[in-house]
């Protein structure tokens, strides 16, 4: 009797869910193996450029703080 309750959901899973899941799974694996698209590569380059600019700005701010308040790093570590 308990098995009768499980048969319908199992059949529905095998007929509908499993094939869709397999198709989506292997499609995503294929996309990953193909690498980045040109658009994704351009976005990655833009992010790298932004990160480099931000790194320069942080270094500038730290040098300003070092000259104006030499103990700022120590205060930050103890807070």
């Amino acid at each position: 009797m308990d098995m009768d309750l499980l048969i319908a959901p199992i059949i529905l899973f095998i007929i509908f869910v499993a094939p869709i899941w397999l198709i989506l799974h292997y499609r995503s694996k294929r996309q990953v193996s193909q690498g980045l698209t040109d658009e994704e590569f351009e976005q990655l380059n833009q992010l790298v450029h932004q990160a480099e600019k931000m790194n320069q700005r942080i270094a500038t701010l730290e040098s300003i703080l070092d000259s104006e308040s030499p103990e700022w790093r120590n205060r930050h570590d103890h807070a």
Side-chain angles (χ1 to χ4, degrees):
M1 182 135 183
D2 288 332
M3 282 303 263
D4 292 339
L5 293 175
L6 290 177
I7 291 176
I10 291 173
I11 290 173
L12 289 174
F13 179 83
I14 291 171
I15 292 174
F16 295 107
V17 178
I20 293 171
W21 178 77
L22 287 172
I23 290 168
L24 294 175
H25 174 73
Y26 285 108
R27 182 186 298 167
S28 69
K29 280 188 137 243
R30 185 179 57 221
Q31 288 174 347
V32 168
S33 68
Q34 289 176 348
L36 298 176
T37 65
D38 290 340
E39 182 179 333
E40 291 169 334
F41 188 73
E42 181 60 33
Q43 288 176 342
L44 182 61
N45 281 333
Q46 288 174 357
L47 288 172
V48 168
H49 181 69
Q50 288 175 344
E52 289 170 349
K53 284 174 51 177
M54 187 173 288
N55 193 29
Q56 291 172 351
R57 290 177 180 170
I58 290 170
T60 301
L61 289 172
E62 286 179 343
S63 67
I64 291 170
L65 281 171
D66 285 338
S67 66
E68 292 185 4
S69 180
E71 296 297 317
W72 74 272
R73 291 181 196 263
N74 293 336
R75 284 189 301 227
H76 179 69
D77 290 341
H78 296 302

